[in-house]
């Protein structure tokens, strides 16, 4: 079974802090994703990576950066946290496959509160 | 603006009723996936559809991909409390990056 592990279930930080969210997958997947989930907005893609050290911006990258130094680990960084970044953050991974048949496997999420 | 619009946003029904959830877009997708998410957990894939007009069944759940590959529906027959959750559709153009709908929150009352 694929396992995607996010380092924290709940996190409380202060405005202006630098925040690191960590995600590890154990199935040698090429693709990894960071989403944020807000009520009524579904999942919005922040960044994704299709290989080590490769990254692409998603739909809402402003205020975030990512790091993928090893295939199994994908980190999301909030450079200077702001209250509008309070949200549920979900990490996912998938194989690179033909015609989008490959499922995305999600972690259980990190609920981040910025005070 | 959401690329994929889901309706209804909320649905509360009695056990045994049937329901349909819709996922619509003006864009053509290469494939579309449906996920279910339960509280405190990440979404879990239910099905992937790739061919226009395709119909897939998963026990009491029937998924259909529109002929033009712009829309999809999820029909649940004889809903049970265990079907309660957030249902999300997600479409892709380029096979690796998916766009998610806003979700349908289903509550099935016993």
């Amino acid at each position: 079974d694929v396992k995607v592990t996010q380092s924290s279930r709940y996190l409380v930080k202060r405005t202006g802090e630098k925040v690191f969210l960590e995600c590890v997958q154990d199935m040698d997947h090429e693709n990894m994703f960071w989403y944020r989930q807000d009520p009524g907005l579904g999942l919005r893609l922040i960044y994704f990576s299709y290989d080590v050290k490769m990254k692409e911006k998603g739909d809402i990258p402003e205020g975030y950066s990512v790091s993928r130094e090893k295939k199994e680990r994908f980190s999301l960084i909030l450079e200077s946290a702001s209250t509008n970044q309070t949200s549920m953050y979900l990490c996912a991974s998938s194989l690179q496959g033909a015609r989008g048949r490959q499922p995305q496997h999600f972690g259980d999420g990190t609920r981040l509160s910025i005070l | 603006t959401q690329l994929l619009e889901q309706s209804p946003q909320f649905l509360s029904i009695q056990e045994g009723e049937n329901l349909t959830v819709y996922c619509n877009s003006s864009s053509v997708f290469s494939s579309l996936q449906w996920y279910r998410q339960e509280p405190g957990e990440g979404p879990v894939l239910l099905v992937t559809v790739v061919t226009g007009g395709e119909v897939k069944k998963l026990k009491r759940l029937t998924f259909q991909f529109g002929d033009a590959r712009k829309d999809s529906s999820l029909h649940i027959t004889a809903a049970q409390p265990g079907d309660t959750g957030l249902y999300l559709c997600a479409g892709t153009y380029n096979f690796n990056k998916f766009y998610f709908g806003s979700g349908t929150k289903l509550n099935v009352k016993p």
Side-chain angles (χ1 to χ4, degrees):
Chain A
D1 252 6
V2 177
K3 191 155 179 68
V4 178
T5 304
Q6 294 185 229
S7 53
S8 306
R9 291 298 300 268
Y10 301 94
L11 208 53
V12 180
K13 296 291 182 181
R14 297 216 171 267
T15 304
E17 280 192 68
K18 191 168 186 175
V19 181
F20 294 85
L21 302 183
E22 306 286 346
C23 175
V24 177
Q25 51 98 359
D26 66 358
M27 283 301 291
D28 205 35
H29 286 173
E30 295 89 356
N31 297 335
M32 294 190 76
F33 308 82
W34 274 107
Y35 295 90
R36 63 177 282 176
Q37 184 174 26
D38 300 289
L41 296 177
L43 274 67
R44 292 181 292 166
L45 182 65
I46 304 171
Y47 269 96
F48 73 102
S49 168
Y50 51 88
D51 202 352
V52 175
K53 296 192 188 293
M54 305 301 289
K55 61 186 179 186
E56 282 197 29
K57 292 180 180 179
D59 301 316
I60 51 165
E62 298 78 19
Y64 303 95
S65 62
V66 290
S67 171
R68 193 161 180 207
E69 296 296 317
K70 293 186 177 181
K71 193 174 186 179
E72 67 271 18
R73 187 180 295 270
F74 193 34
S75 303
L76 179 69
I77 303 148
L78 285 66
E79 298 291 344
S80 178
S82 63
T83 53
N84 63 11
Q85 292 178 308
T86 291
S87 187
M88 170 69 84
Y89 289 87
L90 288 163
C91 174
S93 72
S94 73
L95 286 169
Q96 285 178 2
R99 304 196 69 191
R101 291 175 189 268
Q102 299 297 337
Q104 292 185 62
H105 298 268
F106 285 86
D108 286 337
T110 296
R111 188 165 289 284
L112 175 64
S113 296
I114 307 296
L115 304 179
Chain B
T1 306
Q2 296 277 154
L3 202 60
L4 282 165
E5 296 289 340
Q6 282 188 244
S7 61
Q9 196 173 356
F10 299 98
L11 198 50
S12 184
I13 60 171
Q14 291 294 139
E15 182 175 1
E17 290 184 23
N18 301 334
L19 67 115
T20 302
V21 175
Y22 299 94
C23 176
N24 295 302
S25 177
S26 56
S27 302
V28 176
F29 290 103
S30 304
S31 70
L32 195 138
Q33 297 180 337
W34 283 93
Y35 290 81
R36 181 170 69 210
Q37 183 179 22
E38 299 187 25
E41 298 180 9
V44 175
L45 181 72
L46 295 172
V47 78
T48 301
V49 286
V50 296
T51 305
E54 183 176 2
V55 177
K56 280 192 172 177
K57 293 196 174 186
L58 189 68
K59 297 182 181 177
R60 294 176 293 99
L61 278 60
T62 302
F63 304 85
Q64 184 160 10
F65 202 12
D67 291 340
R69 304 205 317 274
K70 291 183 179 182
D71 54 83
S72 181
S73 63
L74 157 61
H75 182 78
I76 301 179
T77 304
Q80 297 177 2
D83 296 326
T84 292
L86 178 68
Y87 289 81
L88 294 155
C89 64
T92 185
Y93 306 115
N94 66 359
F95 312 136
N96 288 310
K97 181 181 170 185
F98 279 83
Y99 297 88
F100 280 79
S102 53
T104 293
K105 198 165 186 178
L106 172 65
N107 180 36
V108 182
K109 294 175 282 189

